[in-house]
Amino acid sequence: MSDSEHYDPLTPRLQKNQDTQERKMPRGVVIRLFAYLVAGHVVAAFLFLLFTVAGKG
């Protein structure tokens, strides 16, 4: 048997040290995640401040 019988053009062969696209997170997702984390902490700090000020008054 030859290799051409088992060749599938829709699934290219990967080299051993080649990473696939799925293993890397897209840059937009990373930026959005960072922005949501920062915004979430800012909102949490504001609520904490409101409850702290209201608790003393």
Side-chain angles (χ1 to χ4, degrees), residues 23-39:
R23 297 185 80 180
K24 298 179 185 177
M25 288 182 65
R27 178 175 284 179
V29 173
V30 173
I31 293 171
R32 194 177 313 138
L33 178 65
F34 181 74
Y36 288 161
L37 284 173
V38 169

Side-chain angles (χ1 to χ4, degrees), residues 4-42:
S4 62
E5 292 177 352
H6 301 290
Y7 177 72
D8 185 8
L10 298 178
T11 55
R13 295 181 184 177
L14 295 176
Q15 296 175 358
K16 291 182 181 180
N17 57 358
Q18 181 182 4
D19 283 342
T20 59
Q21 183 81 20
E22 291 86 20
R23 297 185 80 180
K24 298 179 185 177
M25 288 182 65
R27 178 175 284 179
V29 173
V30 173
I31 293 171
R32 194 177 313 138
L33 178 65
F34 181 74
Y36 288 161
L37 284 173
V38 169
H41 281 86
V42 168

